Amino acid sequence: MEDYILTARPSQTELRAINYIIKKFLAKQSYKLTSITLSQEVLDQNLDNWADAGSVFSEAPDMISLYRYFYNVGSNVKLHEVEAKLHQCQQDYSSSQQKYRELDKKCLSLTNSIKEINCDRENLLQKIDSLQNRLEEKQKTLTSSTDGLQPEKPVPDPEEQASASLEVKEEVEIKQENEIYLVPETAKVESEKIPTDDAQNETTNVTSNPLTSPLPVVDPTEEKITSIETPRDSRFIILENLKNKRYRFSNNSLLKKSTEDMSRIASEIEEIVSMEKAVQNVVKVVARCLPHLVPGVIFNKREELLPIFLTVIQYHPSSSVRDDLTRLLFNLIKKPNEEQRKMIMDGCIALASLIGLQRTEVELLPQCWEQIPDKHEERRVLVAESCGVLASYVRSDLRPSLILSILVQLLDDRSALVREAVARNFGHLICTFEDGEKYPKVQEAFLRLLYDSESTVIEAAQRAFFPPLLDWIFCLDGHCGRFLTAWLKELSSLLKGPSDSHGRTRDPRWEKAGVLNESLRTAIGRLWQNVLLSSPLPLDQNIPLDQTQPQTSSPPSPDLSAAFHALPFQQHPRQNPLVPRKDVLLSIEQRTKLERHLEEMLYKNLQQDRDFWRWIGDDAEIVLPKPPPAMWEALRRFFDFIGELIELLTHVDVPSQTPAFLDSMASLLTCICWETGSIYTACFIRPIFRYHMEHGVNTQQGAIKRARLFPFYLGGVLVLYRDAEILSYLRTTIVNISLEEEGWNHSQISTLNQALRLVCSLSTEKKVAIISLLWDLVVHPNTQVRVTLLQIFDNLMSLSTAAEISSRILPALITLSNDVDKLVRIKSIKPLGNIIIAVPEDVIMEKINAQFDLILDDPSHTLILEVLQTFTSLVPQVKGRFREKCILPKLISLTEKNNQHNNPIQRGEVARALYDTYRAFTGYALSEEAANKWQIPGLKLLLMDEELDPTLKTSISGMLKEIEASLPESSYIPLPSPATLSQAQANLNNNLNMARAQWMGLFNKK
């Protein structure tokens, strides 16, 4: 072995360790050049770092220590001595452990035996006392009898005596085997034959049990009676003890299992008997028994132990025992449900209020840390709830540090139930913060919960986290400027930031922005009430609630009065059940008083500063509103927030495929206007919108800003006013877009459609009012206005019911499809086709089919192409009946007419459109009648078109073969020869005329 060690090649780890030791020696001995040279030669190792040597052991000693160890002490002698001593110590330790275990077993066995002996002794003493009492009663009874009465001497039964003697022997043998002696061996009953005629042998000496005290004999009569009764009593004692002992041995296996528990219970009982009458002594006993009681209680009933746990934890003097019981309290129920968690938390609150701050921090809070990695989500929810309810019972410096860190750690939990609990308890925690040092961390946690993938977590963040967050900020700053600024910054980063879609259809940025808007909307009422509460306005002044105008020293000017009261709000168009309309900080009377004071303050400012009302009213100037001087800090911050929000919306292009963001932002603006009131909206919010929408409108940038703000202005602000104002503004906008006036152009129709969708989605009444407005514009003299209406009607179909489409939209489209202007008729074709998709009813299909027949009476080339393109898009989306009864007959008629067209260019365009429409039928099953009567003849006619591309003809031939192969042979129609083509065309014309007459008859009946 030693030869192998000397000759074996060093490993890589050994070489690196030696390099490190040598480098260290050279550096310590000031051999700098040699040390540098060694470092340069060893390129794959950092010679100044022992960890780079790759060894898992601690750093090796230097070279001097190694030299002295090997040459001065010796390498083997000392080591062998130490190893020998170590081996001897290990053997001694093992033998000692073995002896200790054997002695421990013997000690336990002896202890159990002693306890059993004591128990049996107590039983025997009780039975002896009972027998003595019985003897005394019998002696008294015999003494009171007549002196001349002599009892007969009973003759003992030999079998009975033999049985008693046998049982005594068995008792002695059993007790010798188990080292438990209830009766000495001398206690046996002698079976003697007692003669009846011998007076001296009337008494029999029976050796009694030394544990029993024999009664004194007072006279010969009593002595005789004792000699008669004693054998029976002794036998009774022996038999009873033997019976108990046999029962004990028959259940020996059960006793062995519970020996330890019985010995523990016995020791507890002995301590109860001997302990002093003090509360802490009782608490100690209960504390020792509780861990053994809990496993025997079913899970659904363990909450009954909570009062006992709380009492023992409160009064027990030992901190270690209290820690164990507190841990057991948290683990009392494996998966506590909501009610059980609430009960446990109520107990913790009661305990924290009793034990004080210090013990709460030392004993209760550590349990939170221990339960965080638990595999059951219900236990982790318990941790989050404890952080919220116990925050008021710890020192103020621990709340933003220890407890906050626990909740932040639980933000990454995989369970939505835990994250929901975190959101709720964040609201409880921040209510106890005394400064704003942790505001950035709290805001980050709020945003993470707000962007959660689970709707329950988002709702908890909005309802339970956000309102306390606003109140906390108001307590810190006196206003919400800090939060509103951070909110705008977050929204701006989402709207202006890069796309996160990564090729997906939906962009998560807009979804997050929608959630952000919704969160502020849910709390805008509380935010405005905080603004009112922070005002210097008097709250105790009595103001009649039925007052309609604020009282001022002098009446305002007529212009100002009209501006203030001409446009009151109607009922709120958006009633979200998530945020009930109620005042949580102010009563209705208090809020009304403060709002009236605010109106009065605005009146006074208007009277003092005539420039203030330049932007108010219909004839207002395009001026950016300024805050009045009397605004307090919170109101001024709120005013700045609205201006910055509207300014932000002017820089954002909202895609049409993100309706959720449009709805959320419009809803937010509606809530802001509703909470602040019509006066504030008329004085500030509407003028800010008007400024951004009309300032520089003649420039391209100004027109883009107006198009971006228009949906929010119409769907978020104007919806609060009377329908007449909305319709007037909307009518003007539609006309301006159609005529491209006032900076509007046709490209902004999509913006108009977005705004109309927002308004129509609010209520049926709004939608009916807008459709009535569009009906009024159907007869507008300008053609472009009527064309714009067709696009608007087409957009409204997705928001309308079948009844609304058939009763309101379809008649308008039919009217426009019969317009005198060809452009209007052409633009009406696509909306008519979309009605078939939206309402696939037979009555509607018949009306649309008849209207297409009327449209095709016009031989216009552009109109025919539009019809064919519409048919191509309808084939995959409509019912088979419409395909066979409407589209296919019209295709064969158009094919026949196109074959006779004189213009080769237009003929080729129509032929290509016909081919696309026929190709759209591929993959859809048609009836044999439709295939033979319409599809195959139409394709054959198209195949004969001379202007058709040869490549397309090859494709048509393939289509014909597939169709004919799918039909039965009996229904196959061969290709007509040129000689019979004229006759086939005549028959075809007759079929078309008959079909048209049939459809017209049905339409007239309807």
Side-chain angles (χ1 to χ4, degrees):
M1 183 66 183
E2 293 181 357
D3 295 338
Y4 170 76
I5 295 176
L6 293 175
T7 58
R9 294 179 60 84
S11 64
Q12 188 67 22
T13 303
E14 292 173 341
L15 288 176
R16 297 172 74 89
I18 293 172
N19 291 338
Y20 173 81
I21 295 171
I22 295 173
K23 169 64 169 58
K24 184 177 179 181
F25 170 75
L26 294 175
K28 186 178 293 187
Q29 300 300 324
S30 300
Y31 300 130
K32 296 182 179 181
L33 293 177
T34 308
S35 175
I36 294 173
T37 303
L38 179 62
S39 300
Q40 292 176 350
E41 291 182 357
V42 181
L43 300 177
D44 59 343
Q45 179 184 354
N46 184 6
L47 298 180
D48 294 326
N49 186 6
W50 169 254
D52 195 40
S55 177
V56 297
F57 303 103
S58 59
E59 184 176 350
D62 56 8
M63 189 174 292
I64 298 298
S65 300
L66 293 174
Y67 173 80
R68 292 172 178 172
Y69 175 77
F70 280 101
Y71 285 92
N72 294 345
V73 180
S75 59
N76 297 325
V77 177
K78 190 65 177 179
L79 181 60
H80 290 168
E81 292 178 358
V82 172
E83 290 178 350
K85 291 182 180 179
L86 178 61
H87 183 68
Q88 184 64 33
C89 291
Q90 289 177 348
Q91 290 181 348
D92 295 342
Y93 175 76
S94 298
S95 60
S96 300
Q97 286 290 102
Q98 184 66 23
K99 292 179 181 179
Y100 173 77
R101 284 192 292 269
E102 293 176 357
L103 292 175
D104 188 45
K105 290 181 180 179
K106 291 182 180 180
C107 181
L108 180 61
S109 176
L110 292 174
T111 302
N112 295 336
S113 300
I114 292 172
K115 289 182 179 179
E116 288 185 4
I117 292 172
N118 291 333
C119 182
D120 293 341
R121 177 178 174 276
E122 293 294 332
N123 292 334
L124 286 175
L125 290 176
Q126 291 177 2
K127 292 179 181 179
I128 290 172
D129 293 339
S130 175
L131 290 174
Q132 286 180 347
N133 293 334
R134 289 173 57 189
L135 286 175
E136 290 178 358
E137 291 177 359
K138 292 181 179 180
Q139 287 175 356
K140 291 179 182 180
T141 302
L142 292 175
T143 304
S144 61
S145 61
T146 58
D147 296 334
L149 182 63
Q150 295 294 335
E152 296 181 358
K153 299 179 182 178
V155 180
D157 189 1
E159 296 181 0
E160 183 179 358
Q161 290 182 354
S163 176
S165 177
L166 181 62
E167 290 174 352
V168 171
K169 291 179 180 180
E170 185 178 356
E171 172 74 11
V172 172
E173 292 174 357
I174 294 173
K175 295 190 179 298
Q176 286 179 349
E177 181 182 354
N178 294 275
E179 298 180 1
I180 301 175
Y181 299 90
L182 296 178
V183 182
E185 294 182 5
T186 57
K188 67 171 67 172
V189 179
E190 298 179 358
S191 176
E192 295 181 2
K193 193 172 182 180
I194 305 175
T196 57
D197 55 348
D198 192 356
Q200 294 181 355
N201 294 330
E202 290 178 355
T203 60
T204 304
N205 294 326
V206 181
T207 306
S208 61
N209 193 335
L211 295 175
T212 62
S213 300
L215 295 175
V217 180
V218 294
D219 56 24
T221 304
E222 295 178 2
E223 183 178 0
K224 292 176 183 179
I225 297 300
T226 304
S227 64
I228 295 172
E229 295 292 331
T230 299
R232 294 185 179 181
D233 295 333
S234 301
R235 185 174 59 202
F236 171 78
I237 296 174
I238 294 172
L239 290 175
E240 191 71 16
N241 289 332
L242 184 60
K243 180 180 179 181
N244 293 336
K245 195 64 180 179
R246 285 175 177 173
Y247 176 78
R248 185 183 304 116
F249 287 139
S250 65
N251 295 276
N252 192 30
S253 60
L254 297 177
L255 287 174
K256 286 182 179 179
K257 294 181 181 179
S258 59
T259 299
E260 186 175 353
D261 290 339
M262 292 182 63
S263 61
R264 175 184 58 79
I265 296 173
S267 62
E268 298 290 353
I269 294 174
E270 289 181 3
E271 185 173 347
I272 291 175
V273 174
S274 61
M275 72 180 179
E276 299 178 358
K277 295 182 178 180
V279 176
Q280 284 192 350
N281 294 330
V282 178
V283 168
K284 291 179 181 179
V285 175
V286 177
R288 289 192 296 268
C289 295
L290 266 180
H292 303 282
L293 289 175
V294 170
V297 181
I298 60 176
F299 286 106
N300 294 335
K301 293 297 181 181
R302 288 188 179 181
E303 61 268 16
E304 302 292 339
L305 298 174
L306 284 176
I308 303 176
F309 270 96
L310 299 179
T311 304
V312 174
I313 294 173
Q314 178 185 356
Y315 291 107
H316 201 283
S318 174
S319 60
S320 60
V321 176
R322 292 197 303 265
D323 291 340
D324 295 338
L325 292 178
T326 306
R327 186 179 300 106
L328 184 59
L329 174 63
F330 270 84
N331 300 329
L332 193 61
I333 303 174
K334 186 177 181 180
K335 298 170 65 174
N337 56 30
E338 185 176 357
E339 295 181 358
Q340 292 169 337
R341 291 196 300 269
K342 184 179 183 303
M343 192 173 299
I344 293 175
M345 286 297 100
D346 291 342
C348 289
I349 293 173
L351 181 61
S353 62
L354 293 173
I355 63 178
L357 298 181
Q358 184 176 0
R359 283 183 57 184
T360 301
E361 297 166 4
V362 175
E363 298 175 9
L364 283 182
L365 287 184
Q367 304 304 323
C368 299
W369 288 105
E370 294 182 4
Q371 301 295 325
I372 288 177
D374 195 275
K375 64 179 181 179
H376 299 295
E377 62 178 10
E378 292 84 359
R379 299 270 285 276
R380 301 196 299 274
V381 170
L382 200 63
V383 175
E385 291 178 349
S386 64
C387 292
V389 301
L390 296 179
S392 303
Y393 300 95
V394 298
R395 297 196 315 269
S396 58
D397 58 327
L398 287 181
R399 298 165 190 164
S401 55
L402 175 63
I403 300 181
L404 179 62
S405 63
I406 296 176
L407 288 180
V408 171
Q409 185 176 353
L410 290 174
L411 284 175
D412 299 323
D413 196 278
R414 62 184 179 277
S415 171
L417 186 65
V418 177
R419 299 196 300 273
E420 181 183 353
V422 171
R424 290 198 308 268
N425 287 276
F426 251 115
H428 297 306
L429 178 61
I430 60 178
C431 291
T432 63
F433 286 177
E434 297 179 356
D435 53 46
E437 181 182 357
K438 296 296 182 178
Y439 174 75
K441 195 170 185 178
V442 173
Q443 178 181 312
E444 179 184 357
F446 172 69
L447 291 177
R448 289 179 60 185
L449 292 169
L450 200 62
Y451 297 152
D452 198 273
S453 58
E454 296 291 336
S455 59
T456 55
V457 180
I458 297 174
E459 182 179 350
Q462 292 174 347
R463 300 185 64 177
F465 193 169
F466 195 23
L469 179 61
L470 291 179
D471 294 342
W472 177 44
I473 298 171
F474 257 103
C475 293
L476 294 175
D477 304 335
H479 55 78
C480 276
R482 185 193 309 192
F483 169 77
L484 294 176
T485 302
W487 188 89
L488 282 172
K489 183 178 179 181
E490 178 68 18
L491 182 64
S492 177
S493 64
L494 290 174
L495 300 182
K496 296 181 180 180
S499 175
D500 295 335
S501 59
H502 301 294
R504 293 173 292 181
T505 304
R506 295 188 305 174
D507 192 345
R509 293 184 304 140
W510 300 106
E511 296 180 2
K512 291 181 179 180
V515 173
L516 197 64
N517 294 338
E518 183 67 17
S519 66
L520 184 58
R521 187 193 66 79
T522 58
I524 199 67
R526 194 180 189 93
L527 179 63
W528 180 248
Q529 290 177 63
N530 276 318
V531 171
L532 294 178
L533 276 175
S534 62
S535 69
L537 303 176
L539 187 59
D540 54 351
Q541 181 176 350
N542 294 324
I543 300 177
L545 294 180
D546 58 350
Q547 178 179 341
T548 58
Q549 291 187 4
Q551 301 294 327
T552 56
S553 57
S554 60
S557 63
D559 294 337
L560 294 179
S561 179
F564 267 71
H565 300 287
L567 299 174
F569 286 162
Q570 289 183 325
Q571 184 179 1
H572 198 304
R574 293 181 172 92
Q575 292 296 340
N576 192 339
L578 182 63
V579 187
R581 185 73 173 87
K582 61 182 181 180
D583 301 284
V584 293
L585 300 179
L586 292 170
S587 64
I588 297 178
E589 183 178 0
Q590 290 174 335
R591 177 169 178 153
T592 304
K593 290 179 181 180
L594 289 176
E595 289 176 346
R596 297 290 168 79
H597 282 306
L598 178 60
E599 293 179 8
E600 184 178 356
M601 183 199 72
L602 293 177
Y603 269 112
K604 291 180 180 180
N605 280 273
L606 290 175
Q607 290 178 346
Q608 295 172 3
D609 188 2
R610 301 300 299 177
D611 293 335
F612 183 76
W613 58 276
R614 288 186 302 160
W615 55 78
I616 301 177
D618 295 333
D619 300 330
E621 301 179 17
I622 305 176
V623 181
L624 186 64
K626 299 179 181 179
M631 273 192 177
W632 60 94
E633 181 66 15
L635 185 60
R636 187 183 64 81
R637 297 268 187 168
F638 192 77
F639 174 84
D640 295 340
F641 162 73
I642 295 176
E644 293 173 2
L645 175 60
I646 297 173
E647 173 69 22
L648 174 62
L649 294 177
T650 62
H651 299 285
V652 178
D653 286 320
V654 182
S656 58
Q657 64 268 22
T658 57
F661 173 76
L662 289 172
D663 291 341
S664 63
M665 181 56 71
S667 179
L668 173 61
L669 293 171
T670 302
C671 287
I672 290 175
C673 295
W674 179 260
E675 293 293 339
T676 56
S678 60
I679 306 301
Y680 189 90
T681 302
C683 291
F684 299 108
I685 298 179
R686 291 190 64 178
I688 294 174
F689 266 104
R690 188 181 297 114
Y691 171 78
H692 288 290
M693 293 177 67
E694 298 181 6
H695 181 69
V697 72
N698 295 324
T699 63
Q700 182 180 2
Q701 189 64 27
I704 293 175
K705 287 185 177 181
R706 180 171 60 180
R708 290 169 177 170
L709 288 179
F710 177 75
F712 302 115
Y713 181 60
L714 184 66
V717 179
L718 291 186
V719 291
L720 286 167
Y721 293 93
R722 295 188 298 265
D723 290 344
E725 183 179 1
I726 302 175
L727 298 178
S728 175
Y729 183 78
L730 190 57
R731 182 188 184 97
T732 303
T733 305
I734 293 174
V735 173
N736 288 336
I737 291 176
S738 303
L739 303 180
E740 295 189 335
E741 296 178 350
E742 302 295 333
W744 294 94
N745 54 67
H746 294 159
S747 63
Q748 295 169 345
I749 293 179
S750 61
T751 300
L752 175 63
N753 288 332
Q754 287 181 347
L756 289 175
R757 191 193 61 81
L758 285 175
V759 178
C760 292
S761 62
L762 294 178
S763 63
T764 305
E765 292 77 11
K766 299 284 185 186
K767 181 167 55 179
V768 170
I770 289 176
I771 294 177
S772 299
L773 169 66
L774 299 178
W775 257 104
D776 295 339
L777 292 175
V778 167
V779 295
H780 196 277
N782 189 276
T783 301
Q784 194 59 46
V785 173
R786 300 196 298 273
V787 171
T788 304
L789 287 179
L790 288 168
Q791 299 182 40
I792 296 174
F793 276 124
D794 193 15
N795 177 69
L796 289 180
M797 286 184 199
S798 60
L799 304 174
S800 304
T801 62
E804 292 171 345
I805 292 175
S806 60
S807 62
R808 303 289 292 173
I809 298 179
L810 179 58
L813 293 179
I814 291 176
T815 302
L816 291 172
S817 65
N818 295 323
D819 197 272
V820 296
D821 192 285
K822 184 196 304 184
L823 179 62
V824 178
R825 295 198 303 271
I826 293 174
K827 294 297 183 182
S828 66
I829 294 173
K830 183 179 178 181
L832 282 173
N834 290 336
I835 286 184
I836 297 297
I837 300 173
V839 188
E841 297 178 359
D842 293 342
V843 177
I844 301 298
M845 287 192 295
E846 292 171 1
K847 292 182 179 181
I848 297 298
N849 182 57
Q851 193 60 35
F852 272 123
D853 288 336
L854 295 175
I855 291 173
L856 289 174
D857 288 339
D858 186 353
S860 172
H861 176 70
T862 307
L863 187 143
I864 292 174
L865 288 178
E866 184 70 21
V867 170
L868 290 175
Q869 291 176 2
T870 303
F871 283 169
T872 304
S873 63
L874 288 179
V875 168
Q877 304 181 65
V878 296
K879 291 184 176 180
R881 184 170 179 268
F882 188 79
R883 286 195 293 263
E884 296 179 1
K885 299 296 184 180
C886 177
I887 298 180
L888 280 176
K890 292 176 177 55
L891 288 180
I892 197 170
S893 176
L894 291 173
T895 305
E896 180 186 2
K897 292 180 181 180
N898 187 59
N899 288 343
Q900 301 173 3
H901 204 286
N902 296 327
N903 191 330
I905 298 177
Q906 295 182 357
R907 183 176 176 180
E909 292 177 353
V910 174
R912 178 58 188 256
L914 285 167
Y915 166 78
D916 292 338
T917 306
Y918 274 115
R919 188 172 181 82
F921 281 88
T922 304
Y924 294 96
L926 296 176
S927 63
E928 294 181 7
E929 180 183 1
N932 287 323
K933 190 175 181 179
W934 306 113
Q935 189 178 21
I936 294 177
L939 288 173
K940 290 177 179 180
L941 287 174
L942 183 60
L943 192 60
M944 296 177 183
D945 194 331
E946 298 176 356
E947 300 298 332
L948 189 64
D949 190 345
T951 306
L952 300 181
K953 288 185 178 183
T954 304
S955 177
I956 293 174
S957 300
M959 293 168 58
L960 279 171
K961 291 181 180 179
E962 291 179 1
I963 297 171
E964 292 170 353
S966 64
L967 294 175
E969 295 182 359
S970 59
S971 62
Y972 172 72
I973 299 177
L975 184 67
S977 61
T980 59
L981 182 59
S982 59
Q983 183 63 30
Q985 290 180 351
N987 295 334
L988 180 61
N989 291 333
N990 293 332
N991 292 334
L992 289 173
N993 292 332
M994 291 175 61
R996 179 176 298 178
Q998 182 181 1
W999 279 102
M1000 291 300 296
L1002 292 173
F1003 179 71
N1004 294 331
K1005 289 180 181 180
K1006 298 297 180 181

